[in-house]
Amino acid sequence: MEVDRLLIIDGIELKSRLIVGTGKYASFDENKRAVEASGADCVTVAVRRVNILDRNTENLLDFIDPKKYKILPNTAGCYTAEDAIRTARLARAAGITNWVKLEVIGDPKTLLPDNEATLEATRVLVKEGFVVFPYINDDAIMAKKLQDAGAAVVMPLAAPIGSGLGIRNPHNIRLIMEAVSVPVIVDAGVGTASDAAVAMELGCDGVLMNTAIAGAKHPIQMAEAMNYAIKAGRLAYLSGRIPKKLYAQASSPTEGMIE
């Protein structure tokens, strides 16, 4: 039996390989219950969209306890390296963390990441002591450049944000895993539990998702399903699946059978 290694980022052990978002829920309470059902211990929060900086009014951190969960601020909604850097600095100045999920969007229609601006921002933030989780296209060359720039992980998309299409190019995800030694966490495009399981069966270190849970008809149930999917996919990867064959092969051995 293969013993699973721990997912450790910046010296912090994450017990769950699922990271969940905090947008699009009907209420903070629903968000809280979904996070609990997911089993995640790392939660990402959009600094520009969710009020986490003003502690004098009700906000997400009244429901998602930073003492229980590792908060991962993200720079969602930023379209330039400068905006993303400024947003990351704002989150750290508020005393939340020095971790940041770095998003620099290149196009408002597709919401695909601007890889060059992401690399530029990563270099600046790493020099300033941030632990950077860059969101990128499924590009092995860029993943390697980001690792060389000091990124703590790389986060290639499975498909466009919120599309629910699942992993469109598993070959590229495999190339990324070969190209880098930092953790590879699939981000964006997961639609249902089987998509999460596929990512883990490929050997990815984790999956980040938001819309797949928050946008489901029953978010709490979907969060629980994702919890199981991540665990099942990881266990299947460690177990070593059988090779695919063109023709049938009998399940029972034929040697020694009485004719």
Side-chain angles (χ1 to χ4, degrees):
M1 178 178 177
E2 185 174 347
V3 178
D4 196 7
R5 58 182 172 78
L6 301 175
L7 177 56
I8 299 175
I9 301 173
D10 187 37
I12 295 177
E13 176 190 338
L14 298 180
K15 296 181 175 61
S16 172
R17 293 177 180 270
L18 175 60
I19 300 174
V20 294
T22 52
K24 304 182 180 180
Y25 286 94
S27 66
F28 286 144
D29 181 66
E30 181 182 69
N31 195 164
K32 175 185 177 181
R33 291 188 291 127
V35 171
E36 291 172 347
S38 75
D41 51 0
C42 183
V43 178
T44 185
V45 178
V47 177
R48 291 165 63 100
R49 295 173 180 163
V50 178
N51 178 21
I52 60 173
L53 302 179
D54 182 3
R55 299 313 307 274
N56 295 317
T57 60
E58 183 180 66
N59 68 58
L60 183 66
L61 297 187
D62 294 324
F63 295 82
I64 307 298
D65 186 356
K67 295 179 181 179
K68 181 178 180 181
Y69 299 99
K70 182 64 180 178
I71 304 299
L72 176 61
N74 70 61
T75 63
C78 293
Y79 284 81
T80 67
E82 292 76 14
D83 279 349
I85 293 166
R86 187 182 307 111
T87 301
R89 289 169 176 166
L90 184 64
R92 185 166 69 175
I96 299 172
T97 181
N98 65 334
W99 285 22
V100 61
K101 181 196 169 191
L102 179 61
E103 295 182 33
V104 185
I105 301 301
D107 173 59
K109 181 178 181 180
T110 63
L111 299 181
L112 292 173
D114 182 333
N115 280 354
E116 292 181 0
T118 301
L119 179 58
E120 177 187 346
T122 296
R123 287 173 173 152
V124 172
L125 292 172
V126 167
K127 287 180 180 178
E128 295 184 5
F130 283 89
V131 179
V132 182
F133 293 57
Y135 164 64
I136 58 169
N137 286 296
D138 52 354
D139 181 338
I141 303 303
M142 183 55 65
K144 181 65 166 58
K145 288 181 178 180
L146 285 161
Q147 174 181 269
D148 293 345
V153 306
V154 292
M155 305 185 77
L157 55 77
I161 293 173
S163 67
L165 290 171
I167 296 181
R168 309 313 297 163
N169 199 333
H171 177 67
N172 277 14
I173 300 298
R174 289 192 179 99
L175 289 177
I176 289 172
M177 290 188 293
E178 288 183 6
V180 302
S181 58
V182 297
V184 176
I185 300 176
V186 164
D187 180 16
V190 168
T192 190
S194 57
D195 298 331
V198 166
M200 299 309 296
E201 288 172 5
L202 287 172
C204 295
D205 295 280
V207 178
L208 188 151
M209 67 182 73
N210 182 61
T211 305
I213 296 175
K217 186 176 181 180
H218 302 292
I220 314 305
Q221 289 179 337
M222 183 60 81
E224 186 176 5
M226 293 300 186
N227 188 351
Y228 293 136
I230 293 292
K231 293 175 180 177
R234 182 67 180 177
L235 187 57
Y237 168 72
L238 294 173
S239 300
R241 65 156 291 150
I242 63 170
K244 295 181 180 180
K245 300 180 177 68
L246 182 60
Y247 298 104
Q249 182 176 17
S251 299
S252 301
T254 57
E255 295 180 5
M257 292 183 65
I258 300 174
E259 297 184 0

